[in-house]
Amino acid sequence: MKTWMTALAMALGLALAAPHTADAQIFKKNSKAAKVAGTAAGILGALTGSKTDGGATTAQGTDGKYVSTVSNGVTIEAPASAKAQFAFEGAYGDTATGYVKVIIKVTTQADQQQANFGSSLVAYDADGNMYKDNGSHPGKTFVAGLPTKYTFGNNIMNVPLTLTSFAVVQGGWYLNSGEHSGKEQTVLRLRNVPITWGAAVE
């Protein structure tokens, strides 16, 4: 009798343990799968330049000429040869004149004495209408690694007050005699740029 009860207890114990062991194996496999999926998503985000964690993600373009960055919802396509990082600060429209200024932040890799951005700048709306910039883009001193504001679009003209965003804003760039848009045949390009009308600009 005692032997029979012992055998029954052992059998019951094994039966109860089996699902837990199986659950543990399933949990382990699921955790591993989730980790792999998360890694894959991160790689995909890096390749596409998409945001994976709420922050800006930077990715090299397939042609090697551009680096794409998402900054405050704006996609910035910067020449890899510019040796600088760019962030979107804001686009501000003057309701009295219809002019729009586009402000960016530039962080150069090395000290620059007369760098400038936005030469021959043009902007386009979603319908392909073009707006020219009649403002100047003077050379400015940049200290390596220090984010510095720069007026990329100085006076983009004749913008309707009903326009809430530019599809594209692009212009030339210049760091020094060896690194500039004329030599590299590249531009600094911002996509999906929201316009804030009536806001004060520094």
Side-chain angles (χ1 to χ4, degrees), residues 65 81 173-174 176-186:
K65 291 184 178 180
S81 52
W173 57 278
Y174 184 94
N176 52 54
S177 59
E179 297 164 323
H180 56 84
S181 55
K183 178 181 179 180
E184 303 294 340
Q185 297 299 309
T186 53

Side-chain angles (χ1 to χ4, degrees), residues 70-76 86-94 99-106 121 123 133 137 148-156 164-166 169 188 190-202:
V70 177
S71 173
N72 296 322
V74 173
T75 299
I76 301 174
F86 302 89
F88 175 69
E89 189 74 9
Y92 307 100
D94 185 331
Y99 286 179
V100 176
K101 293 184 183 293
V102 178
I103 312 298
I104 60 175
K105 273 189 178 178
V106 182
L121 184 137
D133 183 11
H137 300 87
T148 303
K149 285 185 180 181
Y150 190 88
T151 305
F152 180 54
N154 205 350
N155 285 310
I156 302 174
T164 58
S165 67
F166 291 122
V169 179
L188 175 62
L190 281 61
R191 293 187 183 274
N192 302 318
V193 178
I195 303 170
T196 301
W197 287 99
V201 181
E202 293 182 9

